Amino acid sequence: MNMFQDSDPDNPDKDKCLGENYVGPGKLDTQVQLVISLSLGLSAFLSFCALRPRWKTLYAARKRHSNPILGLPALPDTFFGWIPALYKITEQQVLSSAGLDAYVFLAFFKMSMRLFGVMFFFAAVVLEPINRHFIRNQTPDSGSSQSFFFHQYHTFRTYETLDPLDDKDPPDRDNDNSFDRNMGYLWSYLIFAYFFTGLTLYFMDKETSKVIRVRQDYLGTQSTITDRTFRLSGIPKDLRTEEAIKDLVQKLEIGKVESVTLCRNWKDLDKLMEERQTVLAKLEESWSVYLGHKPLAAVGDQPTSRRNNAIVNGDSDPLYGADEEAGESDRLLRGGEARMLERERPQARFWYGFLRLQSRQTDAIDYYTEKLRQLDDKILAARRKTHEPADLAFVTMDSIAACQMAIQALIDPHPGRLLTKPAPAPSDIVWKNTYASRLSRRIRSWSVTAFVAILTVVWLVPVAFLASVLSICTINKFLPAFGDWLKEHEIARTLVQTGLPTIVVSLLNVAIPYLYDYLSYQQGMLSHGDIALSVISKNFFFTFFNIFLIFTVFGAVTSIFDVLRNSLKDTTYIAYTLARKIEDLSVFYTNFIMLQGLGLFPFRLLEFGSVAQYPILRMGAKTPRDFAQMVQPPMFYYGFYLPTALLVFILCLVYSVIPGGFLVLGLGLAYFSLGYFTYKYQLLYAMDQPQHATGGAWRMICYRIMLGLVVFHLTMSGYLALKKAFTVALLIAPLFVATLWYGWDFRKRVEPLTRFISLRSIERRGEGGETAILDEDFSGADGEEQREVLRRGSTVDEDREKGSRFVNPSLVVP
């Protein structure tokens, strides 16, 4: 394929910037991308090693704020000494200090490391020699000094030239090369397709069994109010009282009801509380400006650790009193009265009159104080009111077993009535959605889903536009002088042709999750954990559809309708197209994995965004509350990181067998290895993750791995058919069927155990305090050690939920 082909009046298609031309390979693409990725990665990694011991408020934020009884070891302050210490932290320590969600997230990376390590070995030792013997000997330019992928790319194009294929028509099935001795290496592709599929399912099944075993024992041995509470929805109007619900559940004879929280329409109260927070922040800011108080400077003579503890715990400075019942303004004023200075009091402008067209200035402190007093009176009055009940309640039982029996049973014979589900943690509930009607929540959910579907199609335009703008054929057409210059400078052409599209796609991967996170919050879900799982699903859909399918099956927006139309005529057309484009885009996806793993993971470890935002936040911080928030650990959102890892997993599967697959697998191994240590450090030491999703991401991971296997089978079938090995291609079909069957069996056999707690897993508070699980289920030293870790103290969720109640904070907050 000539990137710099001239216009041909007899062949107008040559002037088109087709999808595969956007990111076509060149001689130095992989080498240049490797240099860029290593330069970015090493600079960020060395910066992190230098800054980590100096900026502990950022890089050890979670460790400094976590409960010391969790036993998380302190990392050495030496330049590289933290790496072996982090490596030695066991899975049991991860589970006990970071929780089940972190354990599941890291388990996926660890499983991927083992899987791709084995696949890389066989691809490099067995498949690569086969490719060297059969393919390179048949390629005219096999002795050139080109990069491997560039060489393999021309190998692919050579075979396409030998095959009488049209870009739109599948190959003629009359001639089958399956039994041609010169094409015998294609049978090895079939064998390894089976072998790698079996390996993937084996590793996934083995890890799934371990995750389920850990999850059941973890949730079965802890005792939190969340584990004993279930969510009851679809409550008919005649049962919308706490007494009626308690009596109903008691009559089921599944256990004793401890408490019932019936959700009510607290909309007016919640709005008053939000308004109060705004006024309170302005009052605090006015006092801070008036007093000229800089919280960190005022305690600047204290040691760093004590100063940060003062900010967080409020026990080392007169500004941070320990009296939780005192008003916020009282805490702010304390200590400032003694050093009050004569200065001009801050002013506030407020609007009044017809259409609020008139305004005047007044004393800000007096104005916001009076406004706060009025709001407090309104809130106290609103709390005393009787609010209209909603169709949702949280029922807390006296035992986990009773709660699980209620969750896993059908209570009412009428569809949609008295439905039970596990309750989220009290701090995890989005209370404003609890009193919304089921119809309104469904409408919001459907609306957001429809909008995401439309947005997915809309994304095709900017994605394809960016790709086409950066393509050589577009540059030749609109900037011929620049195109001629690129012909003479191979490295510059490489940066434009493949480097920039890779960076653009990576930036989209970083930016788009924020939009889908906002949309998920608008969907009306009842908990932050459900929202987190929804963000994972939405972002993976964007990543898989727009970044994978658009660059492969469709190529460009204009090609979508052609592909769909041809696929209706021939159901195998998509498989052929996928296989052909996968060959063409090998360099692009290799560079993508390389940049994500070697280049961007160290930047995530460096927390570049937090570092860049800190000076801005520091300049804008005025009140003690502002400074306290600055030293809190940043949040770790799985939906921002997991979808990209799943895409890399799918890419490694797709490229595992075809020529050059060993390099993709090697880069995949590096990606998941670096990702495992990066996220392990952040989850344990630097970042917090408040969601209580009880490891629900694992079933999503498994289903998307199975989707990757399906794409892998379609690609291999199309690839073999392109080589006219139709018999070999047909033998891929059993793999496709087996994967679908495994998914159906997984849904019935495994998925319930990722949602519920089995009754045999629940700890019985009887003799010895042992669980009902048989000891042979945890055979081996690791299992016994795991049980000891889980039982010798409270879990991170138990610590987090001490004293929690299922009560809307607007009703009880001081």
Side-chain angles (χ1 to χ4, degrees):
M1 180 176 63
N2 185 5
M3 294 293 174
F4 306 102
Q5 57 192 359
D6 297 327
S7 299
D8 185 354
D10 297 328
N11 188 2
D13 288 342
K14 279 191 175 183
D15 292 330
K16 294 182 179 179
C17 291
L18 299 178
E20 60 266 27
N21 292 345
Y22 296 167
V23 285
K27 296 181 180 180
L28 301 176
D29 287 5
T30 305
Q31 294 93 321
V32 170
Q33 186 64 55
L34 179 62
V35 171
I36 294 174
S37 299
L38 288 177
S39 301
L40 291 174
L42 285 176
S43 60
F45 177 74
L46 294 177
S47 299
F48 169 77
C49 292
L51 295 175
R52 186 187 64 84
R54 293 175 173 81
W55 291 359
K56 291 188 177 181
T57 53
L58 174 64
Y59 295 122
R62 183 177 184 272
K63 168 67 175 175
R64 294 163 69 90
H65 293 86
S66 63
N67 194 329
I69 68 172
L70 295 178
L72 197 61
L75 299 180
D77 288 340
T78 54
F79 202 79
F80 295 119
W82 61 276
I83 298 176
L86 181 67
Y87 173 79
K88 293 177 183 178
I89 295 177
T90 63
E91 293 180 338
Q92 287 74 29
Q93 289 176 300
V94 171
L95 188 66
S96 61
S97 61
L100 193 57
D101 293 325
Y103 172 84
V104 164
F105 182 76
L106 294 177
F108 168 63
F109 278 79
K110 202 166 186 179
M111 179 199 73
S112 302
M113 289 165 56
R114 291 194 294 263
L115 172 63
F116 293 131
V118 175
M119 292 173 66
F120 170 72
F121 173 80
F122 283 100
V125 174
V126 181
L127 274 176
E128 173 58 10
I130 293 175
N131 291 328
R132 286 177 180 271
H133 177 73
F134 282 94
I135 297 181
R136 291 197 172 189
N137 290 340
Q138 301 179 33
T139 307
D141 57 348
S142 59
S144 66
S145 60
Q146 298 168 349
S147 70
F148 176 76
F149 266 115
F150 183 68
H151 177 80
Q152 292 292 353
Y153 177 81
H154 279 283
T155 301
F156 296 145
R157 305 307 294 187
T158 300
Y159 276 105
E160 288 185 17
T161 304
L162 294 176
D163 293 338
L165 301 181
D166 185 81
D167 286 341
K168 295 184 179 180
D169 296 327
D172 186 8
R173 294 176 174 81
D174 293 336
N175 300 321
D176 189 352
N177 292 334
S178 298
F179 303 99
D180 186 343
R181 292 179 61 87
N182 293 328
M183 308 291 285
Y185 67 95
L186 296 178
W187 286 93
S188 66
Y189 293 175
L190 175 68
I191 294 172
F192 274 93
Y194 273 82
F195 179 50
F196 286 167
T197 299
L199 272 180
T200 303
L201 293 178
Y202 169 76
F203 276 96
M204 186 178 73
D205 194 71
K206 184 179 179 181
E207 196 67 32
T208 298
S209 299
K210 183 179 178 181
V211 167
I212 289 175
R213 196 164 62 243
V214 170
R215 181 183 185 275
Q216 295 291 316
D217 200 40
Y218 181 88
L219 298 178
T221 54
Q222 73 176 9
S223 181
T224 67
I225 189 173
T226 302
D227 298 315
R228 294 183 290 110
T229 304
F230 66 89
R231 187 174 79 199
L232 187 66
S233 60
I235 303 173
K237 291 186 177 181
D238 59 328
L239 292 176
R240 293 183 185 179
T241 63
E242 283 82 356
E243 294 77 13
I245 295 172
K246 182 175 182 179
D247 185 59
L248 169 70
V249 178
Q250 293 272 126
K251 288 181 179 178
L252 298 176
E253 298 182 355
I254 58 175
K256 182 181 178 182
V257 177
E258 208 172 75
S259 65
V260 176
T261 300
L262 179 63
C263 297
R264 298 177 180 273
N265 189 356
W266 297 302
K267 184 176 181 180
D268 295 337
L269 177 60
D270 288 342
K271 281 187 175 181
L272 287 172
M273 290 299 297
E274 290 177 5
E275 187 178 352
R276 184 185 190 278
Q277 285 298 111
T278 303
V279 173
L280 178 63
K282 291 181 179 179
L283 177 59
E284 289 178 348
E285 183 178 338
S286 300
W287 269 113
S288 296
V289 170
Y290 177 58
L291 296 176
H293 180 68
K294 299 293 184 183
L296 291 181
V299 291
D301 55 335
Q302 302 176 13
T304 304
S305 59
R306 184 182 173 192
R307 184 190 316 156
N308 290 324
N309 289 334
I311 294 173
V312 176
N313 300 325
D315 56 4
S316 300
D317 189 84
L319 267 172
Y320 304 96
D323 184 7
E324 291 298 330
E325 296 300 321
E328 288 90 343
S329 58
D330 181 55
R331 181 182 301 181
L332 181 69
L333 286 170
R334 202 176 300 163
E337 296 172 349
R339 52 179 183 269
M340 186 78 71
L341 301 176
E342 290 295 333
R343 63 184 67 185
E344 183 179 354
R345 290 168 68 89
Q347 301 292 303
R349 180 176 295 277
F350 70 94
W351 298 82
Y352 65 96
F354 178 70
L355 297 179
R356 295 185 175 272
L357 296 177
Q358 295 178 283
S359 68
R360 66 182 178 90
Q361 285 190 334
T362 187
D363 186 283
I365 295 177
D366 293 340
Y367 174 70
Y368 290 124
T369 300
E370 177 61 21
K371 200 166 185 178
L372 187 66
R373 186 193 64 78
Q374 294 176 2
L375 281 172
D376 285 347
D377 292 340
K378 292 180 181 180
I379 289 170
L380 291 174
R383 287 178 175 179
R384 290 191 292 266
K385 287 174 56 178
T386 301
H387 301 272
E388 180 185 359
D391 67 340
L392 183 73
F394 298 100
V395 182
T396 303
M397 307 298 292
D398 63 336
S399 68
I400 300 178
C403 177
Q404 287 298 315
M405 283 189 282
I407 291 172
Q408 301 178 42
L410 294 174
I411 293 181
D412 196 89
H414 299 88
R417 280 178 53 173
L418 300 178
L419 304 177
T420 57
K421 287 185 177 181
S427 60
D428 202 30
I429 298 174
V430 183
W431 286 99
K432 68 177 182 179
N433 292 333
T434 60
Y435 46 77
S437 66
R438 190 192 307 177
L439 177 61
S440 67
R441 289 200 302 268
R442 283 185 177 179
I443 292 175
R444 289 168 64 183
S445 178
W446 293 339
S447 301
V448 171
T449 301
F451 181 73
V452 169
I454 296 172
L455 195 61
T456 300
V457 178
V458 173
W459 281 126
L460 305 182
V461 177
V463 170
F465 173 76
L466 288 173
S468 63
V469 166
L470 299 175
S471 69
I472 295 299
C473 54
T474 302
I475 294 175
N476 284 336
K477 185 174 181 181
F478 295 99
L479 298 172
F482 183 53
D484 293 337
W485 182 82
L486 290 177
K487 293 180 185 179
E488 301 171 0
H489 299 81
E490 183 68 17
I491 294 179
R493 189 207 64 79
T494 296
L495 291 174
V496 173
Q497 185 71 8
T498 53
L500 288 181
T502 305
I503 293 174
V504 168
V505 169
S506 299
L507 291 176
L508 282 175
N509 252 4
V510 173
I512 297 305
Y514 289 95
L515 173 62
Y516 285 134
D517 181 65
Y518 170 78
L519 291 176
S520 296
Y521 269 94
Q522 304 305 313
Q523 207 160 354
M525 296 180 182
L526 299 181
S527 72
H528 295 284
D530 291 339
I531 293 172
L533 295 179
S534 177
V535 173
I536 294 175
S537 180
K538 290 182 177 63
N539 285 332
F540 174 79
F541 182 71
F542 164 79
T543 303
F544 178 76
F545 187 83
N546 290 88
I547 295 179
F548 182 71
L549 290 184
I550 295 307
F551 275 92
T552 51
V553 176
F554 298 130
V557 178
T558 55
S559 304
I560 294 176
F561 297 105
D562 292 337
V563 171
L564 294 178
R565 184 178 63 252
N566 290 325
S567 63
L568 292 177
K569 298 178 182 178
D570 185 354
T571 55
T572 62
Y573 183 80
I574 289 183
Y576 288 123
T577 307
L578 183 63
R580 185 182 295 114
K581 299 296 181 63
I582 283 293
E583 295 174 357
D584 296 334
L585 296 175
S586 58
V587 173
F588 171 76
Y589 286 127
T590 303
N591 292 348
F592 175 76
I593 298 173
M594 192 183 300
L595 179 63
Q596 290 289 322
L598 302 180
L600 297 186
F601 268 135
F603 272 93
R604 288 176 180 163
L605 195 64
L606 185 63
E607 295 185 48
F608 182 77
S610 298
V611 173
Q613 288 180 0
Y614 182 83
I616 301 174
L617 297 176
R618 180 65 179 80
M619 289 187 294
K622 298 179 180 179
T623 68
R625 194 187 304 273
D626 295 337
F627 285 92
Q629 290 175 349
M630 287 178 58
V631 297
Q632 292 299 309
M635 293 295 113
F636 186 94
Y637 296 106
Y638 296 103
F640 286 27
Y641 309 116
L642 186 55
T644 301
L646 288 169
L647 176 63
V648 172
F649 190 100
I650 292 175
L651 290 173
C652 290
L653 285 179
V654 168
Y655 282 100
S656 60
V657 175
I658 64 178
F662 79 98
L663 181 57
V664 179
L665 290 172
L667 289 172
L669 176 60
Y671 173 90
F672 285 103
S673 301
L674 293 172
Y676 176 77
F677 286 101
T678 297
Y679 293 137
K680 186 177 183 179
Y681 179 87
Q682 290 184 328
L683 286 168
L684 293 180
Y685 290 94
M687 306 179 77
D688 202 1
Q689 32 108 20
Q691 292 84 10
H692 184 79
T694 65
W698 184 256
R699 59 181 175 270
M700 303 181 70
I701 291 171
C702 291
Y703 283 127
R704 280 143 187 82
I705 289 176
M706 286 181 261
L707 173 63
L709 286 174
V710 169
V711 176
F712 170 50
H713 300 152
L714 287 175
T715 303
M716 287 308 304
S717 179
Y719 179 84
L720 294 169
L722 284 174
K723 303 299 180 250
K724 293 188 177 182
F726 301 113
T727 301
V728 184
L730 187 62
L731 292 176
I732 295 289
L735 281 178
F736 180 79
V737 175
T739 302
L740 295 181
W741 174 85
Y742 182 89
W744 176 81
D745 182 67
F746 182 93
R747 187 179 186 86
K748 289 182 58 180
R749 178 177 55 91
V750 178
E751 185 175 337
L753 293 172
T754 66
R755 295 183 181 273
F756 311 117
I757 308 173
S758 68
L759 298 181
R760 291 183 62 218
S761 303
I762 299 171
E763 183 179 29
R764 302 292 192 261
R765 300 293 181 179
E767 298 180 1
E770 292 292 330
T771 65
I773 288 185
L774 300 177
D775 288 336
E776 56 262 27
D777 292 333
F778 292 89
S779 59
D782 291 341
E784 292 303 324
E785 178 187 356
Q786 173 186 299
R787 289 162 66 102
E788 291 177 7
V789 169
L790 292 175
R791 290 178 187 165
R792 69 187 176 199
S794 59
T795 65
V796 66
D797 294 317
E798 287 177 317
D799 290 334
R800 185 184 297 158
E801 295 180 30
K802 277 183 180 176
S804 297
R805 294 185 298 158
F806 282 89
V807 179
N808 187 346
S810 298
L811 293 169
V812 295
V813 68

